[in-house]
Short mmCIF file of all heavy atoms in Angstrom, two decimals:
data_model
loop_
_atom_site.label_atom_id
_atom_site.label_comp_id
_atom_site.label_asym_id
_atom_site.label_seq_id
_atom_site.Cartn_x
_atom_site.Cartn_y
_atom_site.Cartn_z
N GLY A 1 94.06 127.22 79.52
CA GLY A 1 93.89 125.91 80.11
C GLY A 1 94.01 125.99 81.62
O GLY A 1 94.68 126.87 82.16
N LEU A 2 93.35 125.08 82.30
CA LEU A 2 93.41 125.00 83.75
C LEU A 2 93.86 123.61 84.15
O LEU A 2 93.37 122.62 83.61
CB LEU A 2 92.02 125.29 84.33
CG LEU A 2 91.95 125.34 85.85
CD1 LEU A 2 90.99 126.44 86.28
CD2 LEU A 2 91.49 124.01 86.42
N VAL A 3 94.83 123.55 85.06
CA VAL A 3 95.29 122.28 85.59
C VAL A 3 95.08 122.32 87.11
O VAL A 3 95.60 123.21 87.79
CB VAL A 3 96.78 122.01 85.28
CG1 VAL A 3 97.16 120.61 85.72
CG2 VAL A 3 97.08 122.21 83.80
N PHE A 4 94.28 121.39 87.60
CA PHE A 4 94.01 121.27 89.03
C PHE A 4 94.89 120.14 89.54
O PHE A 4 94.79 119.01 89.06
CB PHE A 4 92.53 120.97 89.22
CG PHE A 4 91.98 121.27 90.57
CD1 PHE A 4 92.57 122.19 91.43
CD2 PHE A 4 90.84 120.63 91.01
CE1 PHE A 4 92.04 122.47 92.67
CE2 PHE A 4 90.29 120.90 92.25
CZ PHE A 4 90.89 121.81 93.09
N ILE A 5 95.78 120.42 90.48
CA ILE A 5 96.82 119.48 90.91
C ILE A 5 96.70 119.21 92.40
O ILE A 5 96.48 120.13 93.19
CB ILE A 5 98.22 120.05 90.58
CG1 ILE A 5 98.37 120.17 89.06
CG2 ILE A 5 99.32 119.19 91.17
CD1 ILE A 5 99.59 120.93 88.63
N ASP A 6 96.90 117.96 92.78
CA ASP A 6 96.84 117.55 94.17
C ASP A 6 98.05 116.67 94.48
O ASP A 6 98.40 115.79 93.68
CB ASP A 6 95.54 116.76 94.40
CG ASP A 6 95.33 116.38 95.84
OD1 ASP A 6 94.88 117.24 96.61
OD2 ASP A 6 95.62 115.21 96.19
N ILE A 7 98.69 116.91 95.62
CA ILE A 7 99.83 116.08 96.03
C ILE A 7 99.29 114.73 96.48
O ILE A 7 98.39 114.66 97.33
CB ILE A 7 100.63 116.75 97.16
CG1 ILE A 7 101.21 118.09 96.66
CG2 ILE A 7 101.75 115.83 97.65
CD1 ILE A 7 101.91 118.91 97.74
N ASP A 8 99.85 113.67 95.93
CA ASP A 8 99.42 112.31 96.26
C ASP A 8 99.85 111.94 97.69
O ASP A 8 100.98 112.21 98.09
CB ASP A 8 100.02 111.30 95.27
CG ASP A 8 99.51 111.50 93.86
OD1 ASP A 8 98.34 111.93 93.70
OD2 ASP A 8 100.27 111.22 92.91
N HIS A 9 98.94 111.32 98.42
CA HIS A 9 99.21 110.78 99.76
C HIS A 9 99.77 111.83 100.72
O HIS A 9 100.60 111.52 101.58
CB HIS A 9 100.16 109.58 99.68
CG HIS A 9 99.67 108.48 98.78
ND1 HIS A 9 98.55 107.73 99.06
CD2 HIS A 9 100.15 108.02 97.61
CE1 HIS A 9 98.37 106.84 98.09
NE2 HIS A 9 99.31 107.01 97.19
N PHE A 10 99.30 113.06 100.60
CA PHE A 10 99.85 114.12 101.44
C PHE A 10 99.56 113.90 102.92
O PHE A 10 100.39 114.19 103.78
CB PHE A 10 99.32 115.50 101.00
CG PHE A 10 99.97 116.64 101.72
CD1 PHE A 10 101.28 116.98 101.43
CD2 PHE A 10 99.29 117.35 102.68
CE1 PHE A 10 101.91 118.03 102.09
CE2 PHE A 10 99.90 118.40 103.35
CZ PHE A 10 101.21 118.74 103.05
N LYS A 11 98.41 113.35 103.24
CA LYS A 11 98.07 113.07 104.65
C LYS A 11 99.10 112.12 105.26
O LYS A 11 99.51 112.30 106.40
CB LYS A 11 96.66 112.48 104.76
CG LYS A 11 96.24 112.25 106.20
CD LYS A 11 94.86 111.63 106.28
CE LYS A 11 94.37 111.40 107.69
NZ LYS A 11 95.32 110.93 108.66
N ASN A 12 99.55 111.14 104.49
CA ASN A 12 100.57 110.20 104.98
C ASN A 12 101.88 110.93 105.28
O ASN A 12 102.58 110.58 106.23
CB ASN A 12 100.82 109.09 103.96
CG ASN A 12 99.64 108.16 103.81
OD1 ASN A 12 98.72 108.16 104.62
ND2 ASN A 12 99.66 107.36 102.75
N ILE A 13 102.22 111.92 104.45
CA ILE A 13 103.44 112.69 104.68
C ILE A 13 103.33 113.44 106.01
O ILE A 13 104.24 113.39 106.84
CB ILE A 13 103.70 113.67 103.52
CG1 ILE A 13 104.01 112.88 102.24
CG2 ILE A 13 104.83 114.64 103.85
CD1 ILE A 13 103.94 113.70 100.98
N ASN A 14 102.20 114.12 106.21
CA ASN A 14 102.00 114.85 107.47
C ASN A 14 101.99 113.90 108.66
O ASN A 14 102.58 114.19 109.70
CB ASN A 14 100.68 115.63 107.43
CG ASN A 14 100.84 117.01 106.84
OD1 ASN A 14 101.92 117.59 106.83
ND2 ASN A 14 99.76 117.55 106.33
N ASP A 15 101.31 112.76 108.52
CA ASP A 15 101.22 111.81 109.63
C ASP A 15 102.57 111.16 109.94
O ASP A 15 102.88 110.90 111.10
CB ASP A 15 100.20 110.71 109.31
CG ASP A 15 98.77 111.23 109.30
OD1 ASP A 15 98.54 112.37 109.74
OD2 ASP A 15 97.89 110.48 108.83
N THR A 16 103.38 110.92 108.91
CA THR A 16 104.67 110.25 109.09
C THR A 16 105.75 111.20 109.57
O THR A 16 106.52 110.89 110.48
CB THR A 16 105.12 109.59 107.77
OG1 THR A 16 104.12 108.66 107.36
CG2 THR A 16 106.45 108.87 107.93
N TYR A 17 105.81 112.38 108.96
CA TYR A 17 106.94 113.29 109.20
C TYR A 17 106.57 114.55 110.00
O TYR A 17 107.46 115.27 110.43
CB TYR A 17 107.56 113.73 107.87
CG TYR A 17 108.07 112.59 107.05
CD1 TYR A 17 107.38 112.15 105.92
CD2 TYR A 17 109.24 111.92 107.39
CE1 TYR A 17 107.84 111.10 105.15
CE2 TYR A 17 109.72 110.86 106.64
CZ TYR A 17 109.01 110.46 105.52
OH TYR A 17 109.47 109.41 104.77
N GLY A 18 105.29 114.84 110.12
CA GLY A 18 104.86 116.03 110.84
C GLY A 18 104.52 117.17 109.90
O GLY A 18 104.90 117.17 108.74
N HIS A 19 103.81 118.14 110.44
CA HIS A 19 103.31 119.25 109.62
C HIS A 19 104.43 120.18 109.13
O HIS A 19 104.29 120.78 108.07
CB HIS A 19 102.24 120.03 110.39
CG HIS A 19 100.98 119.24 110.58
ND1 HIS A 19 100.05 119.09 109.59
CD2 HIS A 19 100.53 118.52 111.64
CE1 HIS A 19 99.07 118.32 110.03
NE2 HIS A 19 99.34 117.97 111.26
N GLU A 20 105.51 120.29 109.88
CA GLU A 20 106.62 121.14 109.42
C GLU A 20 107.21 120.58 108.13
O GLU A 20 107.48 121.31 107.18
CB GLU A 20 107.69 121.24 110.50
CG GLU A 20 108.82 122.19 110.13
CD GLU A 20 109.83 122.34 111.26
OE1 GLU A 20 109.44 122.37 112.43
OE2 GLU A 20 111.03 122.43 110.92
N ILE A 21 107.39 119.27 108.08
CA ILE A 21 107.89 118.63 106.86
C ILE A 21 106.83 118.73 105.77
O ILE A 21 107.15 118.97 104.59
CB ILE A 21 108.27 117.16 107.12
CG1 ILE A 21 109.41 117.08 108.15
CG2 ILE A 21 108.65 116.46 105.82
CD1 ILE A 21 110.70 117.77 107.75
N GLY A 22 105.57 118.58 106.13
CA GLY A 22 104.49 118.75 105.16
C GLY A 22 104.54 120.13 104.52
O GLY A 22 104.36 120.27 103.31
N ASP A 23 104.81 121.15 105.32
CA ASP A 23 104.95 122.50 104.78
C ASP A 23 106.14 122.60 103.82
O ASP A 23 106.07 123.27 102.79
CB ASP A 23 105.11 123.53 105.90
CG ASP A 23 103.82 123.74 106.68
OD1 ASP A 23 102.75 123.31 106.21
OD2 ASP A 23 103.90 124.35 107.77
N GLN A 24 107.24 121.91 104.15
CA GLN A 24 108.40 121.90 103.25
C GLN A 24 108.06 121.22 101.93
O GLN A 24 108.51 121.64 100.87
CB GLN A 24 109.58 121.20 103.91
CG GLN A 24 110.20 121.97 105.05
CD GLN A 24 111.35 121.21 105.71
OE1 GLN A 24 112.01 120.40 105.08
NE2 GLN A 24 111.56 121.47 106.98
N VAL A 25 107.27 120.17 102.00
CA VAL A 25 106.84 119.47 100.78
C VAL A 25 105.99 120.40 99.92
O VAL A 25 106.20 120.51 98.71
CB VAL A 25 106.07 118.17 101.13
CG1 VAL A 25 105.37 117.60 99.90
CG2 VAL A 25 107.02 117.14 101.73
N LEU A 26 105.05 121.10 100.54
CA LEU A 26 104.22 122.06 99.79
C LEU A 26 105.08 123.11 99.11
O LEU A 26 104.88 123.41 97.92
CB LEU A 26 103.23 122.75 100.74
CG LEU A 26 102.07 121.91 101.25
CD1 LEU A 26 101.36 122.64 102.39
CD2 LEU A 26 101.11 121.60 100.12
N THR A 27 106.03 123.65 99.83
CA THR A 27 106.92 124.68 99.27
C THR A 27 107.76 124.11 98.13
O THR A 27 107.90 124.74 97.07
CB THR A 27 107.83 125.24 100.37
OG1 THR A 27 107.01 125.81 101.39
CG2 THR A 27 108.77 126.30 99.83
N SER A 28 108.29 122.92 98.32
CA SER A 28 109.14 122.30 97.30
C SER A 28 108.35 122.01 96.02
O SER A 28 108.81 122.30 94.91
CB SER A 28 109.73 121.00 97.85
OG SER A 28 110.46 120.32 96.86
N VAL A 29 107.14 121.47 96.17
CA VAL A 29 106.30 121.18 95.01
C VAL A 29 105.95 122.47 94.28
O VAL A 29 106.03 122.56 93.05
CB VAL A 29 105.04 120.39 95.42
CG1 VAL A 29 104.02 120.34 94.29
CG2 VAL A 29 105.42 118.98 95.86
N ALA A 30 105.56 123.49 95.04
CA ALA A 30 105.21 124.78 94.43
C ALA A 30 106.38 125.38 93.67
O ALA A 30 106.22 125.85 92.54
CB ALA A 30 104.71 125.75 95.50
N GLN A 31 107.57 125.35 94.26
CA GLN A 31 108.75 125.90 93.59
C GLN A 31 109.10 125.11 92.34
O GLN A 31 109.45 125.69 91.31
CB GLN A 31 109.95 125.93 94.54
CG GLN A 31 109.84 126.99 95.61
CD GLN A 31 110.97 126.92 96.63
OE1 GLN A 31 111.66 125.91 96.75
NE2 GLN A 31 111.15 128.00 97.36
N THR A 32 109.01 123.81 92.42
CA THR A 32 109.31 122.96 91.26
C THR A 32 108.38 123.30 90.10
O THR A 32 108.81 123.48 88.96
CB THR A 32 109.18 121.47 91.63
OG1 THR A 32 110.15 121.18 92.64
CG2 THR A 32 109.41 120.57 90.42
N MET A 33 107.10 123.43 90.39
CA MET A 33 106.14 123.72 89.33
C MET A 33 106.29 125.15 88.83
O MET A 33 106.29 125.39 87.63
CB MET A 33 104.71 123.46 89.82
CG MET A 33 104.43 121.98 90.04
SD MET A 33 102.68 121.58 90.32
CE MET A 33 102.33 122.46 91.83
N ARG A 34 106.45 126.11 89.74
CA ARG A 34 106.55 127.51 89.34
C ARG A 34 107.76 127.73 88.42
O ARG A 34 107.70 128.50 87.46
CB ARG A 34 106.67 128.39 90.60
CG ARG A 34 106.84 129.87 90.35
CD ARG A 34 105.60 130.49 89.74
NE ARG A 34 105.95 131.04 88.44
CZ ARG A 34 105.10 131.37 87.49
NH1 ARG A 34 103.83 131.21 87.65
NH2 ARG A 34 105.50 131.84 86.34
N ASN A 35 108.87 127.05 88.72
CA ASN A 35 110.08 127.22 87.93
C ASN A 35 109.95 126.68 86.51
O ASN A 35 110.78 126.98 85.65
CB ASN A 35 111.27 126.57 88.63
CG ASN A 35 111.68 127.31 89.87
OD1 ASN A 35 111.39 128.50 90.03
ND2 ASN A 35 112.35 126.63 90.78
N SER A 36 108.92 125.87 86.25
CA SER A 36 108.78 125.29 84.92
C SER A 36 107.71 125.99 84.08
O SER A 36 107.50 125.63 82.94
CB SER A 36 108.46 123.80 85.03
OG SER A 36 107.15 123.63 85.52
N LEU A 37 107.06 126.99 84.66
CA LEU A 37 106.02 127.70 83.93
C LEU A 37 106.55 128.99 83.31
O LEU A 37 107.55 129.54 83.77
CB LEU A 37 104.86 128.06 84.88
CG LEU A 37 104.08 126.88 85.44
CD1 LEU A 37 103.11 127.36 86.52
CD2 LEU A 37 103.33 126.15 84.34
N ARG A 38 105.86 129.45 82.29
CA ARG A 38 106.18 130.75 81.70
C ARG A 38 105.76 131.85 82.68
O ARG A 38 104.86 131.64 83.50
CB ARG A 38 105.43 130.96 80.38
CG ARG A 38 105.72 129.90 79.33
CD ARG A 38 104.78 130.03 78.16
NE ARG A 38 103.39 129.86 78.60
CZ ARG A 38 102.35 129.82 77.79
NH1 ARG A 38 102.50 129.95 76.49
NH2 ARG A 38 101.13 129.65 78.26
N SER A 39 106.38 132.99 82.56
CA SER A 39 106.03 134.10 83.46
C SER A 39 104.59 134.55 83.27
O SER A 39 103.99 135.11 84.19
CB SER A 39 107.00 135.27 83.26
OG SER A 39 106.90 135.75 81.94
N SER A 40 104.01 134.28 82.11
CA SER A 40 102.63 134.69 81.85
C SER A 40 101.60 133.73 82.46
O SER A 40 100.43 134.05 82.56
CB SER A 40 102.38 134.79 80.35
OG SER A 40 102.59 133.53 79.73
N ASP A 41 102.04 132.53 82.87
CA ASP A 41 101.14 131.55 83.45
C ASP A 41 100.97 131.82 84.95
O ASP A 41 101.73 132.58 85.55
CB ASP A 41 101.65 130.13 83.21
CG ASP A 41 101.70 129.80 81.73
OD1 ASP A 41 100.86 130.32 80.97
OD2 ASP A 41 102.58 129.02 81.33
N PHE A 42 99.99 131.18 85.55
CA PHE A 42 99.67 131.41 86.96
C PHE A 42 99.67 130.09 87.71
O PHE A 42 99.11 129.09 87.25
CB PHE A 42 98.29 132.06 87.09
CG PHE A 42 97.80 132.15 88.49
CD1 PHE A 42 98.22 133.17 89.32
CD2 PHE A 42 96.93 131.20 89.00
CE1 PHE A 42 97.78 133.25 90.64
CE2 PHE A 42 96.48 131.26 90.32
CZ PHE A 42 96.91 132.29 91.14
N LEU A 43 100.28 130.11 88.88
CA LEU A 43 100.23 128.97 89.80
C LEU A 43 99.84 129.51 91.17
O LEU A 43 100.43 130.47 91.66
CB LEU A 43 101.59 128.28 89.90
CG LEU A 43 101.71 127.20 90.98
CD1 LEU A 43 100.90 125.96 90.60
CD2 LEU A 43 103.15 126.82 91.22
#
């Protein structure tokens, strides 16, 4: 199976908080998702 995922309203996050915070959001979302997948799955 393939799941294509997009962060909602990400442009607003960058515009409101700046790109450094946007990068933290990307990292946080990636870690949250990666930690819930099996080792055989890919993110």
Side-chain angles (χ1 to χ4, degrees):
L2 183 142
V3 186
F4 200 24
I5 295 170
D6 184 80
I7 298 174
D8 296 328
H9 304 294
F10 187 72
K11 183 182 181 321
N12 292 346
I13 293 166
N14 273 336
D15 291 349
T16 302
Y17 301 106
H19 291 281
E20 185 177 322
I21 298 300
D23 289 346
Q24 289 178 28
V25 168
L26 288 168
T27 301
S28 176
V29 168
Q31 287 175 342
T32 298
M33 291 190 297
R34 177 68 241 163
N35 290 338
S36 71
L37 294 172
R38 302 171 299 185
S39 61
S40 61
D41 297 329
F42 171 82
L43 172 71

